[in-house]
Amino acid sequence: MEQKTVLELFDRYGDAVYRVALGFLRSQQEAEDAVQTVFLRLLERDIQAYPGKERALLTKMTVNHCKNVLSRAKRHDIVPLDETVLLAQPEDREVFRAVMELPERYRAVVCLHYFEGYSFQEIAQLLHISPSAVSMRLHRARSTLKQQVGRY
């Protein structure tokens, strides 16, 4: 892919890629590295993004990269760095921390649905699970969050 095209995609979708990576990796530094890796892969490889499907492609690449990073971390017992989340309201920090403490399978659907606005069908395609599995994971994540935070 041309550098100009990749830069345009970065300007348009860089923040979304970062949020997805942060949702998976729970570390600002790891998420920033993931963003760089995803966009570098676009430059290095001849990847074609269909018009209107760029965001889905970038999200899929980010999810796959984050899964690889997490599987490597499990093999090598890497402990993530503490992240500092700068959110406006203290309640937002509490909710964000609670979401980040969810198991990966629940955290992924919460981040993709609520933070990124993906539908159940789109999440199912990204994670290779059924839409009903997405719904169930989201339901279980909400139940867990209600117990942890109390008001959601």
Side-chain angles (χ1 to χ4, degrees), residues 39-137:
F39 284 100
L40 278 174
R41 283 186 182 158
L42 284 177
L43 278 173
E44 294 169 351
R45 298 180 182 163
D46 189 25
I47 298 173
Q48 295 297 325
Y50 297 106
K53 302 290 184 180
E54 296 94 350
R55 182 174 179 225
L57 171 70
L58 290 169
T59 301
K60 184 65 175 174
M61 289 177 67
T62 305
V63 167
N64 289 339
H65 175 73
C66 291
K67 285 182 177 181
N68 291 340
V69 168
L70 291 172
S71 68
R72 269 185 259 128
K74 287 179 184 172
R75 282 187 294 221
H76 299 291
D77 295 326
I78 297 172
V79 179
L81 296 171
D82 291 334
E83 79 252 0
T84 308
V85 180
L86 302 175
L87 299 170
Q89 302 296 321
E91 309 88 52
D92 292 343
R93 283 184 230 137
E94 182 182 356
V95 171
F96 185 79
R97 284 190 193 106
V99 169
M100 291 299 119
E101 290 173 5
L102 289 171
E104 179 186 342
R105 63 185 322 154
Y106 301 141
R107 186 177 63 246
V109 294
V110 168
C111 289
L112 290 171
H113 184 66
Y114 289 112
F115 298 160
E116 296 303 316
Y118 282 100
S119 70
F120 287 13
Q121 186 67 35
E122 292 169 326
I123 295 170
Q125 289 174 350
L126 289 170
L127 300 179
H128 301 291
I129 58 176
S130 68
S132 63
V134 172
S135 175
M136 183 53 67
R137 288 181 185 185

